[in-house]
Amino acid sequence: MSSQRENPEYFDREYLEKLQLEKLRQVLERVYHKVPFYREAFRAHKVRPENVKSLKDLEKFPFTTREDLRAGYPYGFLACSLSPLVRLHTSAGTTGKPKAVLFTQKDIAQAAQLITRCIRMTGARPEDVFQNMMSYGLFTGGLIFHYGAERAGLLVIPGGTGNTERQIEMMHDFKATIVHITPSYALYLAEVMERMGFSPRDDFSLRIAYLGAEPYSQATKGRIEEIFSLDAYDSYGLSEMNGPGVAFECKEKQGMHLWEDNFIMEIIDPETFEVRRNGEEGELVLSTINREAMPILRYRTGDLTHIYPEECRCGRVHRRISRIKGRVDDMFVLRGVNIFPSEVERVLMSLPEVGRNYQIVLERKGGLDHMKVRVEIKKKLFRGSLKDLKILQNKIKTKFKVELLVTPQVQLVEPATLPRTTGKAKRLIDKREI
Ligand code: DLL
């Protein structure tokens, strides 16, 4: 038992939950005394830190939302003074103020330790050469991951995003074995490699890819593994919770272990806010129990997933969450049918004729909503006959009708013609008036 307690990945459940409860109580006390937002919210909900006798009691406490964090910009959620702070990161906000996250030295060390845990779990070794192709700067995917990889003793190439040809040369020359990249950038990377005359499969030393920061389908993951001939692992996180390193796939690849010694997770019904149990799908809610500068309680991530109730074959105690289906607010409704962009991707990427990129355009004509899917197809097909293209177009339409109950207009386009991004992809264009 004592050796089990030394490695947090293999704690026994009972011990882990005891630890969670102890840390939770400490956090509640701290935020109650140090963060006016929480003090007021607790009072409004008539709850006090000392009311917490079991983990279930957390359910009586209020949620924290993205709007709360934005309203607290810049220092509203701080539970310490400015002097121990060493880092600021923000989450990519589309409009208005970003969500700012502040770190002490201890917070950075803790976040790095989680990354080290994640990458060791996938078999990364000190002799690996790791190219980090996530944006450095305010985005957490660059620096937070960088620190964890260095801590694990890997040789880190802080490539960042963009400058893709130069990055490919370095990846080739330094024989990078592991890459950290968004799935959409990975597909673009392959295109540029091919344009430069390289074979992504044969001319590089890559053996592992960490893919995350945006929703993507299992089919896309499979394609990336195939194109580069490597092993891909799903990596989940969000700036509000340190960035990457919240949940990560192990070698079993049956969901992502969410590090419960750092975060308490709940799944709620996004409409009624009731806690869902037994592996039902819902919105992921996270509370930090190991953060110094900015503890956050019951944060509504907006991400849809479910918990696998059964233990993982790898023996780690931390429960797993399923691939993120999408964000609650990414869902669009088309003539009464609820659709997630990730479902559109799943349908498209399961067809071998479909190329590497697509775009969803929503329009309103004559009071009716229409969905247009612009799909890049493989080069050799584009050179084929018009009849073949028509057949493919109908095949895609039928698949949508059967699987998603909608019939979009399908526009086939040439490979590499739709817009590319080196960071997170933006594939949904909603032109409907609200
Ligand atoms: O994307 C942190 C990160 C960096 C995660 C590198 C993984 C790798 P944000 O910019 O705050 O932080 O965006 C967080 O991205 O709430 C999800 O909606 C989405 N997301 C992140 N990872 C995944 C994933 C970083 N593996 C938001 N699958 C989250 C699906 C993901 N969606």
Side-chain angles (χ1 to χ4, degrees), residues 177-301:
T177 52
I178 306 183
V179 65
H180 178 217
I181 190 163
T182 61
S184 47
Y185 192 19
L187 292 171
Y188 177 51
L189 182 73
E191 266 174 31
V192 183
M193 284 174 170
E194 284 157 3
R195 223 185 295 140
M196 289 168 75
F198 284 119
S199 152
R201 270 185 87 81
D202 303 323
D203 293 332
F204 297 87
S205 312
L206 291 176
R207 64 182 193 94
I208 293 177
Y210 302 133
L211 303 177
E214 63 186 9
Y216 63 111
S217 63
Q218 181 62 33
T220 296
K221 188 177 179 219
R223 278 180 175 222
I224 293 170
E225 289 187 318
E226 168 70 23
I227 293 170
F228 293 95
S229 178
L230 51 69
D231 219 4
Y233 290 89
D234 198 0
S235 151
Y236 169 76
L238 58 162
S239 324
E240 300 88 310
M241 299 283 133
N242 298 348
V246 173
F248 220 86
E249 272 185 325
C250 68
K251 286 189 172 178
E252 298 293 331
K253 297 196 183 178
Q254 297 287 326
M256 297 176 276
H257 289 282
L258 193 140
W259 301 125
E260 296 185 87
D261 54 339
N262 279 259
F263 307 98
I264 295 182
M265 64 169 149
E266 299 168 271
I267 300 285
I268 61 161
D269 178 321
E271 272 156 31
T272 63
F273 308 141
E274 264 169 46
V275 175
R276 286 186 166 165
R277 296 174 217 285
N278 310 324
E280 286 169 280
E281 184 183 277
E283 180 178 351
L284 179 68
V285 170
L286 293 172
S287 301
T288 66
I289 47 172
N290 235 353
R291 246 186 9 191
E292 203 170 45
M294 245 182 96
I296 302 179
L297 286 172
R298 302 198 84 200
Y299 185 66
R300 290 189 50 199
T301 63

